[in-house]
Amino acid sequence: MGMMPRTAPPVPTRRIAKHQANRIFSLRSSKMWDPMGQPLRHNQLISTTDAGQMEAALRRSFDTRHFDLGNPRCDFAAEAGHRQFDPDIGLSYCAYDGDVDVEFPESKLVRVYVGLAGQAVHSAPGYDGHLQPGRSILLGSHVPVRSRFQTGVRQLVLRVEQASLARTLEALSGRPIVGPVTFRSEAAIGDALAPVQSLIDILAQHLDEPASPARNLLERELLQAVVVALLTGVPHNFSNLLVGPTQDAPRSKVDRAEAYIAANWDKPLSIEAIAREVGCSVRSLFKGFQTERGYTPILFLRRKRLERAHDMLLQPAGQLSVADVATACGFSNAGHFARYYREQYGVLPSLTLRLGRSH
């Protein structure tokens, strides 16, 4: 009779939990993590040392088709977060300690990848996009995507549905859009995506701030700005609609636009919504403002919000701080608010507050 195989003693559950916690701590403490911590930390999907859990989370959230570890024997840790702003646009974050190969199915999503640390390759048929820290790449819709992550990678991914692109493009051009917007991925590397990347970075930073009416205002306006920057900065099959001469909006439409902005300064406003309200294209409205007023509709909106802030700061019985007033008037960053206020009124908002309370 042969000897029974010797079984290893069971590893205490507490030791396993401690090891997993150490792996996550190592992931967060490595050079791939900045001092501000994890982006989208208020919208975390998963933080795990179990590759099976990560695979299941990605399948639930993004309908992934394939998830494979480069070396199953190596330690693994991963984190992911996602914020879906509306049905048409979302922002995701992921970090991997371990090489991973993931496949995503065809969809109506256009994806913009922003590299934060480490290396990754995002591939579509006929194109490999090499993502590096501080760079961004774009992959169009209606194609399967394969993502190969090297250990230490961190990235943000903006996902935009074709429906959102079409609506914004119609507002920009004043023309109906038939068919999908097709970007040239090769042309979208580097400088063409730099404005989009900057806006995505700002959006991710503001999502880490506490929820507030000001953050909600800025969030909606940043999302609109990202889509506009994408459509106006990256070549696509409808780019010809955004070049060439266009007619200025008449003074009557500029007047109506200013009245609409003044009545809705405390709501999320986009240039597309303003143009739809007065019945012209975004390009025509911009040209009309420049011709009739010498400034843009967005600058007029900021002025109206600063005027409201000025009135609130001058209230003699007011109990609000400068930060409270900034938040109430749609400015989530107190430093930016102070700079804009000083540009418009020549003094810091704190001085206006003291003057108001001295009366």
Side-chain angles (χ1 to χ4, degrees), residues 345-358:
Y345 291 102
V347 297
L348 289 172
S350 55
L351 178 58
T352 304
L353 183 67
R354 288 198 296 271
L355 289 173
R357 292 181 178 176
S358 66

Side-chain angles (χ1 to χ4, degrees), residues 250-261:
R251 178 175 296 181
S252 60
K253 290 187 182 294
V254 174
D255 292 341
R256 285 177 56 195
E258 288 193 336
Y260 179 75
I261 292 170

Side-chain angles (χ1 to χ4, degrees), residues 26-264:
S26 174
L27 179 66
R28 292 181 176 176
S29 301
S30 68
K31 63 182 180 180
M32 58 188 275
W33 290 88
D34 60 34
M36 296 301 292
Q38 175 195 0
L40 276 70
R41 61 180 180 270
H42 299 307
N43 303 99
Q44 189 176 74
L45 285 176
I46 190 171
S47 176
T48 184
T49 57
D50 186 319
Q53 290 181 358
M54 188 65 178
E55 179 180 9
L58 292 177
R59 188 182 302 115
R60 285 193 305 270
S61 299
F62 305 111
D63 196 28
T64 52
R65 295 289 190 261
H66 175 79
F67 183 96
D68 184 54
L69 293 180
N71 187 345
R73 295 179 179 273
C74 291
D75 287 331
F76 171 86
E79 293 196 344
H82 180 74
R83 172 69 182 276
Q84 192 68 34
F85 300 100
D86 57 40
D88 292 337
I89 188 165
L91 183 66
S92 303
Y93 165 81
C94 69
Y96 287 101
D97 186 2
D99 294 350
V100 178
D101 191 329
V102 185
E103 291 183 6
F104 298 85
E106 292 185 22
S107 71
K108 296 180 180 180
L109 294 167
V110 170
R111 302 171 176 91
V112 179
Y113 301 86
V114 177
L116 303 178
Q119 309 284 327
V121 179
H122 299 288
S123 303
Y127 175 70
D128 291 331
H130 294 264
L131 189 65
Q132 300 175 0
R135 300 295 299 274
S136 53
I137 59 175
L138 181 149
L139 291 180
S141 61
H142 300 92
V143 293
V145 174
R146 179 184 179 187
S147 297
R148 287 159 285 175
F149 302 100
Q150 295 182 16
T151 187
V153 73
R154 292 174 67 212
Q155 69 172 23
L156 293 167
V157 187
L158 183 78
R159 294 174 167 86
V160 185
E161 286 275 0
Q162 281 286 342
S164 178
L165 295 172
R167 283 196 305 270
T168 304
L169 190 53
E170 287 181 350
L172 288 170
S173 66
R175 304 276 295 278
I177 302 301
V178 179
V181 180
T182 304
F183 293 94
R184 294 184 228 157
S185 295
E186 293 84 355
I189 299 176
D191 293 342
L193 273 177
V196 179
Q197 178 177 329
S198 296
L199 289 167
I200 292 173
D201 288 339
I202 294 170
L203 179 61
Q205 292 169 20
H206 281 281
L207 287 177
D208 286 339
E209 296 179 359
S212 68
R215 197 193 80 173
N216 294 338
L217 278 175
L218 183 62
E219 181 181 293
R220 301 310 306 175
E221 290 167 6
L222 277 171
L223 290 172
Q224 288 289 336
V226 168
V227 177
V228 170
L230 188 60
L231 289 168
T232 57
V234 182
H236 53 79
N237 56 327
F238 293 105
S239 291
N240 63 300
L241 299 181
L242 303 178
V243 297
T246 187
Q247 187 175 5
D248 294 8
R251 178 175 296 181
S252 60
K253 290 187 182 294
V254 174
D255 292 341
R256 285 177 56 195
E258 288 193 336
Y260 179 75
I261 292 170
N264 295 277

